[in-house]
Amino acid sequence: MSEIEAGVLAGAHSYWQAVNLTGLLRDLDATGLAIVDNQKTSLQERRKLAEKTKEFRTVPDESKAVEFKPLLRAYQNEIDALTKRMKFAENEFLRLFKSLSEAPDPEP
């Protein structure tokens, strides 16, 4: 093995030690569990929203103005929750990408 190859391998080894793959995998496992929980919660909330929408359709026209505000609030809450979920997933992806983007290829 030449000195250049040894230096490249030493640099790659040093970088991967700094990445702390074991800790990164532990964090990713926790993130994965959080994403699954978010998906379950989102599904439950969408079902509730669909039920509220069905109920709203059965309300007489003269009462719809009163019933519209809570329905609109429910939609706004769902949009806020989806936005929060999206930001969480994007931030976790970018954190992982940043950790790995400059990693040298371990294959010499």
Side-chain angles (χ1 to χ4, degrees):
M1 179 181 297
S2 72
E3 282 185 40
I4 294 174
E5 289 174 333
V8 169
L9 286 176
H13 182 261
S14 174
Y15 185 88
W16 281 103
Q17 280 182 320
V19 166
N20 184 14
L21 189 57
T22 303
L24 183 61
L25 290 174
R26 186 175 39 250
D27 290 347
L28 287 174
D29 186 49
T31 299
L33 292 173
I35 288 172
V36 168
D37 286 344
N38 287 342
Q39 289 173 333
K40 288 178 184 177
T41 301
S42 182
L43 180 61
Q44 291 169 352
E45 294 302 317
R46 282 196 318 262
R47 287 180 179 161
K48 288 179 188 176
L49 192 55
E51 188 60 37
K52 287 180 182 181
T53 302
K54 284 181 185 177
E55 290 172 7
F56 179 77
R57 289 180 184 152
T58 63
V59 172
D61 288 343
E62 56 274 358
S63 301
K64 284 192 177 185
V66 175
E67 297 296 325
F68 182 72
K69 190 173 181 177
L71 182 62
L72 179 60
R73 175 66 59 202
Y75 273 94
Q76 289 171 330
N77 289 339
E78 181 62 17
I79 290 168
D80 291 344
L82 289 172
T83 301
K84 182 179 176 183
R85 180 177 155 202
M86 181 244 351
K87 285 181 181 180
F88 174 75
E90 286 178 350
N91 287 336
E92 289 302 313
F93 170 78
L94 292 174
R95 185 177 64 81
L96 175 61
F97 181 77
K98 182 179 177 186
S99 295
L100 300 178
S101 66
E102 295 180 14
D105 188 349
E107 182 68 32

